Amino acid sequence: AQSVTQLDSHVSVSEGTPVLLRCNYSSSYSPSLFWYVQHPNKGLQLLLKYTSAATLVKGINGFEAEFKKSETSFHLTKPSAHMSDAAEYFCVVSDRLSGNTPLVFGKGTRLSVIA
Amino acid sequence: DAEITQSPRHKITETGRQVTLACHQTWNHNNMFWYRQDLGHGLRLIHYSYGVQDTNKGEVSDGYSVSRSNTEDLPLTLESAASSQTSVYFCASSAGSSGTRNEQFFGPGTRLTVL
């Protein structure tokens, strides 16, 4: 069985400071890992994905995440927060070797950016 | 451009009524999914389909049904709407098979209110 734990339900940072959103996963298989972002009243957009290539994954809008198998973590980071980064972020896991496994979502982390 | 659309975007209905939410994708994806999003729960899987005539129950399938008669559409039916089904509903699709084709593309969502 697969599961995802997002360690913070809400993170607040000042504009221009680093962002860290934490995610731990559990998977019986070789995982694919994703981060999705949802802006208010919008659908979900893929930020980045890990599918077994480089363990440091770069995504859109300056975000990146590092896959650490020993720690079963896939934390999302950004060096400098922008006001437009304020949104809900979801960490997601699936079975990499079988595309026909539904995604399992974390409960989300709401990122607030203070001017 | 390929896309995934949902209709209606907003719906208000009464307890006990049958409601159908439409989802249409032009990606030619094999896999389609329905989720509901509620505060504190993230996204929870309702039903999913891996191809025409295939349907599967997700985590929260009670009170919902789907049918897949073609590749493009996966309508979600609430047989007898209940207030507990007030939520935002998201449809998604993916190409399937392995690796990067796990990525799901999301529709804009349908906000359903059951009075």
Side-chain angles (χ1 to χ4, degrees):
Chain A
Q2 301 169 96
S3 66
V4 171
T5 301
Q6 292 185 242
L7 298 166
D8 306 291
S9 59
H10 183 213
V11 170
S12 183
V13 301
S14 297
E15 190 175 21
T17 65
V19 175
L20 170 64
L21 305 184
R22 298 181 295 164
C23 172
N24 285 357
Y25 71 92
S26 172
S27 177
S28 303
Y29 310 101
S30 300
S32 286
L33 292 155
F34 308 82
W35 276 98
Y36 281 84
V37 61
Q38 183 182 30
H39 288 93
N41 299 311
K42 300 288 186 184
L44 279 78
Q45 179 186 17
L46 182 69
L47 265 183
L48 50 80
K49 58 189 174 188
Y50 165 77
T51 54
S52 85
T55 56
L56 182 62
V57 182
K58 294 188 185 298
I60 62 172
N61 301 333
F63 284 94
E64 60 182 38
E66 186 171 7
F67 173 68
K68 291 187 176 181
K69 185 175 181 179
S70 61
E71 299 177 10
T72 61
S73 69
F74 191 58
H75 301 334
L76 182 70
T77 60
K78 183 174 181 178
S80 176
H82 192 272
M83 296 298 290
S84 61
D85 294 329
E88 188 90 15
Y89 292 80
F90 294 95
C91 183
V92 183
V93 66
S94 76
D95 173 13
R96 174 165 52 88
L97 298 180
S98 169
N100 289 347
T101 302
L103 302 184
V104 176
F105 283 76
K107 295 190 176 182
T109 298
R110 183 164 59 92
L111 176 64
S112 298
V113 182
I114 304 164
Chain B
D1 284 349
E3 61 177 356
I4 180 166
T5 57
Q6 294 183 233
S7 62
R9 295 294 312 278
H10 301 271
K11 174 78 176 177
I12 300 174
T13 190
E14 295 176 342
T15 302
R17 289 191 181 269
Q18 184 181 79
V19 176
T20 296
L21 309 183
C23 175
H24 180 80
Q25 53 97 3
T26 58
W27 294 96
N28 198 34
H29 283 165
N30 289 326
N31 302 344
M32 295 185 72
F33 307 84
W34 273 104
Y35 299 88
R36 60 177 290 174
Q37 184 178 28
D38 305 287
L39 212 59
H41 290 279
L43 272 75
R44 292 181 291 175
L45 184 64
I46 305 172
H47 281 287
Y48 57 103
S49 168
Y50 291 148
V52 176
Q53 302 300 332
D54 176 75
T55 61
N56 305 278
K57 293 182 178 180
E59 177 189 356
V60 290
S61 61
D62 287 350
Y64 303 93
S65 64
V66 294
S67 62
R68 186 93 179 268
S69 58
N70 59 51
T71 300
E72 296 81 17
D73 299 289
L74 186 70
L76 177 71
T77 297
L78 287 68
E79 303 293 345
S80 176
S83 57
S84 60
Q85 294 177 309
T86 293
S87 186
V88 180
Y89 292 85
F90 287 98
C91 180
S93 70
S94 72
S97 76
S98 62
T100 60
R101 292 162 74 81
N102 283 6
E103 176 186 347
Q104 291 187 10
F105 297 82
F106 283 81
T110 294
R111 185 175 295 274
L112 177 68
T113 303
V114 182
L115 301 175

